[in-house]
Amino acid sequence: MELFRFIVTAGTSEIPVVAVAENEEAAFRVVDQELDHTLLKLPQIDHIALMQKKSISKKGSGFAILPRERFE
């Protein structure tokens, strides 16, 4: 399994999404499902960008999520 970090752009909003999946294709499906389950009204999605990908080790794995302007 791998841990993926995405930025979803919807108009002027950016939504960080973290997904666990076997591969990138499955991770994008997880992002779509999570947006459907989390948001009451799904906005027009402009772009979904994969920002980071990490293998999950037995000790675990994680991301520090900072505002985009600070690290990109």
Side-chain angles (χ1 to χ4, degrees):
M1 295 294 269
E2 299 200 75
L3 185 64
F4 299 86
R5 185 175 70 84
F6 293 88
I7 296 290
V8 177
T9 305
T12 59
S13 299
E14 289 186 340
I15 306 164
V17 180
V18 176
V20 175
E22 291 289 335
N23 55 50
E24 288 183 23
E25 183 179 332
F28 276 96
R29 285 195 301 271
V30 170
V31 170
D32 287 337
Q33 292 169 357
E34 288 305 313
L35 291 172
D36 284 341
H37 292 152
T38 303
L39 303 174
L40 293 175
K41 182 179 178 187
L42 193 61
Q44 174 65 39
I45 303 298
D46 300 318
H47 190 70
I48 300 175
L50 174 58
M51 304 302 290
Q52 286 181 288
K53 174 180 165 181
K54 288 185 180 180
S55 293
I56 299 175
S57 69
K58 290 182 181 182
K59 294 181 181 180
S61 186
F63 294 116
I65 300 177
L66 302 171
R68 275 183 72 172
E69 61 270 8
R70 292 194 182 170
F71 64 91
E72 294 180 324

